[in-house]
Amino acid sequence: MPANLPPVYHAAEKRYRQANTPEEKIEALREMYAVMPKHKGTDKLQADIKRRIAQLKEAAKKAPAARQIPQWVIEKVGAGQVPVIGPPNAGKSALIAAVTHADVRVAEYPFTTQAPVPAMMPFESIQIQLVDTPAWSPDFDVGWIPELARRADACLLLADLSDTGTGAALQFIVEAMEARDVVLIGEVPDEREGVEVCVPTLLAANKSDAPNASRVLEETEQVFGRRFPICPISVEQNQGLDIFKRALFEVMQITRVFTKQPGKDADLGEPFVLANGSTVHDLAAKIHKEILANFKYARLWGASGRFQGQRVGEDHVLADGDIVELHTR
Ligand SMILES: Nc1nc2c(ncn2[C@@H]2O[C@H](COP(=O)(O)OP(=O)(O)O)[C@@H](O)[C@H]2O)c(=O)[nH]1
Ligand SMILES: [Mg+2]
């Protein structure tokens, strides 16, 4: 039986996954428990949440007040945070160096990157925050990468097309994530069960210039083609990087909205970034709570309108690139 969890549940679950302290986690779990429907279909989930609360309380008793924010919590800036995750030598650092202005170390020997390193990737009107991570493999277990992924807005998995073992290496990562309740998936389903966190993920397949690349790409597609969108690139030869940026933007499921003041030109500099499906209400709430409180109507230019300058209400669903003029009392 599907659990049919309400949006408030998913909101609390998001707080749970982004919580930095045990207290915040317990609070979010309690909220999840309070708002979830209690029926047979959620028996397992109810038990699971209770177990987690008990575990957290137990852990808090043993290690009191470790309030420090872990070093792998990276402050989010820009339109979204995207860890770049993959096996050793896939070219994670090389990719980040190619698409950002950051100085990340690229090396022919594995395990060059030891701590998460954030870097901004410009994409059209926005900046996406990529986070370089250490290579993750059975020989080198980086336990905090799932924690980074859990809080992320999307993930980028990087395959190495010069390595026939890249499919198995990625499989290891995907499964190790799932063991920590982090599910990497191309498109997050609307209806979900359980406490797992789904993170929208793009698979970029690097080194398409390598001798056996097309065969390895085919194998990678066979294993992961239904799970992730796959985007072949060659960082070294600067191939496919524009398509890659667009594909990552698509996976993130975000809508860019520009605002304008009545009687003035639109501010086409930096858009507001909203989740797909957001409304004029969500935009107003993001700008200022006074604007939301005094909202009268909006005028709209862009793809979501029937005509340019259309007058719309709070419930109007916005589209990428829309320009909105908010009118207040
Ligand atoms: N042939 C080829 N080699 C690449 C490409 N991108 C990166 N490399 C090489 O792969 C090695 C590992 O790169 P690095 O970015 O350090 O990998 P990381 O461990 O995933 O961060 C370096 O020697 C890079 O020069 C590519 O597109 N094609
Ligand atoms: Mg690296």
Side-chain angles (χ1 to χ4, degrees), residues 79-80 126 128 249-250 252-256 273-276 320:
I126 56 170
I128 296 169
F249 171 76
E250 298 289 347
M252 291 174 75
Q253 298 278 304
I254 51 182
T255 299
R256 295 164 294 181
V273 175
L274 304 164
N276 281 0
D320 190 45

Side-chain angles (χ1 to χ4, degrees), residues 4-234:
N4 276 327
L5 298 165
V8 275
Y9 174 89
H10 290 299
E13 182 204 46
K14 189 165 184 192
R15 281 213 311 286
Y16 169 67
R17 87 163 123 128
Q18 299 187 334
N20 286 323
T21 65
E23 289 82 0
E24 284 169 23
K25 282 195 179 136
I26 291 173
E27 189 280 323
L29 284 167
R30 285 200 171 124
E31 169 83 17
M32 284 156 66
Y33 188 80
V35 301
M36 72 190 290
K38 313 286 190 301
H39 55 67
K40 266 220 139 345
T42 63
D43 273 356
K44 205 172 139 264
L45 187 54
Q46 290 180 48
D48 206 8
I49 291 178
K50 282 192 195 153
R51 180 178 55 77
R52 269 158 207 267
I53 294 175
Q55 274 174 354
L56 281 164
K57 282 187 178 163
E58 201 49 42
K61 264 190 240 155
K62 279 186 201 137
R67 275 180 192 285
Q68 266 181 332
I69 293 184
Q71 55 112 20
W72 38 261
V73 174
I74 305 273
E75 191 199 347
K76 286 188 184 181
V77 286
Q81 186 175 76
V82 183
V84 181
I85 298 167
N89 269 321
K92 300 177 290 299
S93 301
L95 172 64
I96 291 172
V99 296
T100 74
H101 305 299
D103 179 20
V104 284
R105 280 201 289 164
V106 179
E108 285 185 25
Y109 51 91
F111 311 121
T112 320
T113 311
Q114 295 304 339
V117 182
M120 303 308 288
M121 177 178 88
F123 172 71
E124 296 176 357
S125 54
I126 56 170
Q127 307 246 0
I128 296 169
Q129 185 185 38
L130 301 181
V131 183
D132 199 5
T133 68
W136 191 16
S137 72
D139 308 326
F140 193 73
D141 182 5
V142 189
W144 51 261
I145 290 182
E147 298 308 310
L148 185 70
R150 187 192 297 286
R151 292 167 162 73
D153 298 293
C155 278
L156 176 62
L157 271 179
L158 203 60
D160 179 348
L161 296 179
S162 73
D163 175 11
T164 49
T166 204
L170 289 174
Q171 197 71 49
F172 164 79
I173 291 174
V174 168
E175 281 168 15
M177 286 274 189
E178 275 181 21
R180 319 255 181 106
D181 292 333
V182 180
V183 178
L184 304 183
I185 189 153
E187 197 174 333
V188 177
D190 288 338
E191 291 246 326
R192 283 179 284 140
E193 286 184 49
V195 290
E196 294 94 351
V197 161
C198 290
V199 187
T201 299
L202 172 70
L203 201 169
N206 188 30
K207 310 195 189 179
S208 62
D209 58 282
N212 292 320
S214 54
R215 190 166 56 81
V216 181
L217 178 61
E218 244 170 63
E219 286 162 8
T220 309
E221 278 167 344
Q222 264 163 28
V223 182
F224 294 110
R226 275 204 300 271
R227 181 164 183 151
F228 304 115
I230 298 179
C231 180
I233 58 174
S234 166

Side-chain angles (χ1 to χ4, degrees), residues 257-293:
V257 178
F258 301 92
T259 52
K260 97 185 248 327
Q261 307 240 327
K264 292 192 186 152
D265 284 343
D267 174 9
L268 296 179
E270 232 185 287
F272 286 89
V273 175
L274 304 164
N276 281 0
S278 293
T279 59
V280 169
H281 175 102
D282 299 320
L283 173 68
K286 183 141 195 168
I287 298 172
H288 204 285
K289 61 177 187 298
E290 293 215 337
I291 292 187
L292 185 60

